[in-house]
Amino acid sequence: MMRKENSIRVSVILIATSLMCSIAGCNRTPAPTTEIAGAKTTENSEYTGRGNQNELLLALMIDLNENDTISLKDITLIKDAATQRSDVKAIKVYYTGQLDTLDTRTLHDALLLGKGSLSKKKTKIALSGDLKPGRNYLWVTADIADDATEGNRVAVSLTSVGYNKNKRFEYEPEPAKGREILLARRLLFAPGDYNSNFYRIPAIITAEDGSLVTATDKRKENLWDLPQDIDVVIRRSTDNGKTWSEPVTIAEGKGYGKGYGDAALVRLDNGKLLCLFGGMNGLWQSRPDSLLRTYVCESVDNGINWTSPRDITDQLYGAGCSDPIRKKWMASFCASGHAIQTSSGRVMVVAAVREGDDYSLNNYLFYSDDEGVTWHVSQRAMEGGDEAKVVELADGTILMSIRNKHKGSRYYTRSTDNGITWAPVQQWDDLKEPGCNGDMIRYSMEKNGTGKNILLHSIPFDEKLRRNVSVFVSYDEGETWPDGKTICSGASAYSALTVLQDGTIGAYIEEGEPGMNLVFLNFSLEWLTRKHK
């Protein structure tokens, strides 16, 4: 396993760039003591998951006066009334000196000062350690029970810190929001992992054997798209996302203009997995003599092994294409995330196409009737479109959801002839977005005996900024999207969805700034549609 460099921001990057007092949970600063010049706390309110260890609850900054050193004796916490003790296996307190970040994956540079169980009311944990002059950082974490209740919260507030012989630094506790528990929450990639500066572009699929398979852009040098040096990497989970395999590279970039990225995944009826992605030149740099190309990799063993990338560009567009119109197209790429196979066996993925030199994008459906061997192109679905997804409706209609490049209400269109021609484009008033890729999948279908007709759609639910990624639910085949919930309230962008074999939902999303953390969340439909009390 390669060393994970520069990953110490992992658990707190979503709290704040400056760390302290940037979101809910700051306590009033108490009056200074002889030794302590000041102190502040910050609460972490992102989701957590069953079985997670060392999940950050509170960050505590203590400033000591010059030349003063204190010996910690204990810390006293009170739990929120709604917090269930059975959901928490242990409370721990770590110290990182003047380092204002905590890597909960490796606990690098973190010293464990004390550990205890959560009590009914006040929890007093004995501590053993000294604080130095100047700024010091303490971290209160929780080990979440393997059987913790989905939707419950773990929330504690700080009341006091004991130090030296009989001295105590008192706090006035404020209500804690806490961390809501999901079935699973796992960080798959953070900036610096596996010798790469950044990661982006999530895709996820549930394989025939129930394993989860993700595809991700390993953006080695910077955050930018192709033609940068990018690899496509695969990770798998065989326990519903609780643990993940090491990354496997299926398309390795060889420098600027020789990379691969923007992967889409689809599982065929025979169990085979296809991964489609772009490569070589970039969308805006592509030209007839140096195209942005399209590739396919295949796996017949649930994502463990993959074929070498196969170039299908000439079937779609460019100088090698037999179609006289598409021969003149300038660039094309398939939207990352999900492709589908319909009940007729047709494989479909939506492409954003630059037809000329004006740098506008139009949407076309790329489809295959022989499991991805040969590919064809539909009539134009939208002029002025962008990244898009398709899903098959109960009556066989194909519904396409299209990114609004201008920001605002998301576009959609339908096809009643298996994706060849498309109806006039309309907009969903209840799906607002900042111009960002999202995902749309089938959760269940009545005629297939899997339940009601339910669709899911994920987007950043904000008309201006990439934040607040949410999952919406439709019960009327995409006419309206009345239910749903935010799954990342902070900075967040691309997302991908899948349905696990147990009927729960998996979301693979980009979270945080600067850079991106790639995070997997697992939750039930009941939780997603549950109204807040």
Side-chain angles (χ1 to χ4, degrees):
M1 175 175 167
M2 299 183 185
R3 184 164 175 245
K4 293 180 172 66
E5 302 287 351
N6 192 32
S7 61
I8 59 177
R9 294 182 229 173
V10 170
S11 293
V12 296
I13 193 66
L14 296 180
I15 297 179
T17 302
S18 60
L19 184 66
M20 310 310 296
C21 282
S22 59
I23 63 171
C26 277
N27 293 316
R28 297 170 186 164
T29 302
T33 67
T34 303
E35 303 85 4
I36 298 176
K40 292 181 180 178
T41 60
T42 299
E43 180 188 12
N44 185 0
S45 58
E46 68 187 14
Y47 290 110
T48 184
R50 285 179 174 174
N52 285 7
Q53 305 294 300
N54 297 307
E55 289 287 74
L56 181 62
L57 300 180
L58 295 174
L60 170 60
M61 180 186 74
I62 298 179
D63 286 332
L64 297 190
N65 293 315
E66 188 176 355
N67 299 321
D68 280 327
T69 299
I70 66 174
S71 295
L72 295 173
K73 298 301 181 184
D74 60 70
I75 188 171
T76 302
L77 309 164
I78 57 171
K79 75 175 185 67
D80 180 83
T83 297
Q84 300 298 311
R85 295 170 60 200
S86 59
D87 289 333
V88 180
K89 292 192 293 187
I91 298 291
K92 301 174 184 175
V93 180
Y94 290 95
Y95 175 59
T96 57
Q98 295 184 334
L99 184 65
D100 65 353
T101 49
L102 175 71
D103 180 359
T104 60
R105 295 184 298 177
T106 65
L107 298 175
H108 183 65
D109 292 326
L111 176 65
L112 179 64
L113 301 183
K115 176 181 177 181
S117 299
L118 192 62
S119 301
K120 272 188 177 183
K121 294 182 179 179
K122 287 190 176 182
T123 299
K124 191 173 184 179
I125 298 175
L127 303 180
S128 178
D130 296 335
L131 301 188
K132 300 177 181 179
R135 184 151 293 181
N136 296 263
Y137 290 94
L138 301 174
W139 313 87
V140 179
T141 71
D143 290 352
I144 310 301
D146 295 336
D147 59 352
T149 301
E150 182 187 28
N152 281 0
R153 290 181 181 272
V154 178
V156 298
S157 298
L158 181 64
T159 64
S160 67
V161 176
Y163 65 98
N164 291 349
K165 289 187 177 179
N166 296 302
K167 291 191 175 183
R168 185 157 295 277
F169 196 58
E170 300 287 348
Y171 284 75
E172 182 179 345
E174 294 185 353
K177 182 179 179 181
R179 301 188 64 172
E180 189 170 356
I181 301 168
L182 302 181
L183 301 179
R185 185 184 191 275
R186 283 289 186 268
L187 176 70
L188 269 66
F189 293 106
D193 285 358
Y194 302 100
N195 298 321
S196 180
N197 285 324
F198 298 102
Y199 291 87
R200 275 211 66 199
I201 317 300
I204 188 168
I205 200 78
T206 302
E208 188 176 42
D209 67 347
S211 60
L212 299 174
V213 180
T214 63
T216 312
D217 276 15
K218 181 179 181 179
R219 300 193 167 187
K220 292 174 277 189
E221 301 298 331
N222 52 57
L223 271 173
W224 307 119
D225 300 331
L226 293 171
Q228 302 299 320
D229 186 7
I230 303 171
D231 300 346
V232 176
V233 295
I234 300 290
R235 296 190 79 169
R236 300 177 68 252
S237 174
T238 58
D239 56 7
N240 286 357
K242 293 178 177 59
T243 61
W244 292 83
S245 69
E246 292 296 291
V248 173
T249 301
I250 64 170
E252 183 177 4
K254 299 294 185 180
Y256 184 87
K258 297 180 180 179
Y260 305 89
D262 282 277
L265 291 167
V266 59
R267 186 183 103 194
L268 306 185
D269 293 337
N270 61 7
K272 180 189 295 185
L273 301 181
L274 303 182
C275 185
L276 297 97
F277 48 88
M280 303 299 111
N281 217 342
L283 175 63
W284 309 115
Q285 297 83 6
S286 182
R287 57 185 185 273
D289 62 340
S290 181
L291 292 174
L292 167 57
R293 309 195 70 82
T294 301
Y295 298 88
V296 178
C297 288
E298 300 179 2
S299 173
V300 295
D301 56 7
N302 302 300
I304 299 173
N305 297 289
W306 294 82
T307 61
S308 298
R310 176 168 59 90
D311 191 337
I312 60 171
T313 311
D314 290 347
Q315 300 182 45
L316 305 172
Y317 85 108
C321 181
S322 60
D323 184 276
I325 296 176
R326 289 186 276 121
K327 182 185 290 285
K328 299 178 182 179
W329 285 0
M330 298 295 290
S332 168
F333 78 102
C334 300
S336 64
H338 248 101
I340 68 167
Q341 186 177 34
T342 68
S343 56
S344 70
R346 178 165 288 180
V347 181
M348 298 180 173
V349 65
V350 186
V353 176
R354 272 182 57 213
E355 296 186 44
D357 293 325
D358 61 353
Y359 295 96
S360 65
L361 297 176
N362 302 320
N363 286 119
Y364 289 82
L365 188 79
F366 291 171
Y367 64 94
S368 171
D369 292 322
D370 56 7
E371 299 180 345
V373 177
T374 57
W375 290 84
H376 312 278
V377 181
S378 75
Q379 295 184 24
R380 184 187 292 167
M382 179 177 176
E383 184 175 355
D386 209 311
E387 292 163 310
K389 299 294 189 301
V390 286
V391 70
E392 183 178 13
L393 303 183
D395 64 358
T397 297
I398 305 301
L399 174 65
M400 182 183 294
S401 172
I402 306 165
R403 168 179 169 175
N404 187 336
K405 66 178 182 180
H406 302 295
K407 304 180 182 181
S409 296
R410 196 165 177 90
Y411 296 110
Y412 70 96
T413 181
R414 293 184 173 91
S415 171
T416 57
D417 56 7
N418 212 11
I420 304 301
T421 62
W422 297 89
V425 172
Q426 302 180 67
Q427 289 184 271
W428 280 307
D429 291 337
D430 43 3
L431 293 184
K432 308 291 187 182
E433 58 151 297
C436 190
N437 196 10
D439 207 0
M440 180 176 63
I441 65 169
R442 165 71 60 186
Y443 177 81
S444 58
M445 186 183 289
E446 187 174 359
K447 73 176 184 180
N448 291 342
T450 57
K452 299 178 180 178
N453 291 331
I454 296 177
L455 303 177
L456 304 177
H457 203 313
S458 62
I459 52 168
F461 190 52
D462 190 289
E463 292 189 69
K464 296 181 179 180
L465 299 175
R466 289 187 172 186
R467 62 185 180 188
N468 200 38
V469 164
S470 304
V471 179
F472 293 88
V473 184
S474 175
Y475 307 100
D476 54 13
E477 297 295 82
E479 293 288 343
T480 61
W481 301 86
D483 278 345
K485 194 169 289 185
T486 296
I487 59 174
C488 181
S489 59
S492 45
Y494 283 29
S495 56
L497 300 171
T498 191
V499 180
L500 281 62
Q501 277 193 338
D502 64 4
T504 62
I505 300 161
Y508 187 34
I509 64 176
E510 297 177 333
E511 288 188 353
E513 293 177 332
M516 290 288 178
N517 294 326
L518 274 293
V519 179
F520 170 78
L521 305 177
N522 177 218
F523 45 87
S524 67
L525 181 68
E526 189 277 331
W527 174 86
L528 183 64
T529 57
R530 185 190 307 166
K531 304 300 182 184
H532 289 292
K533 296 181 180 179

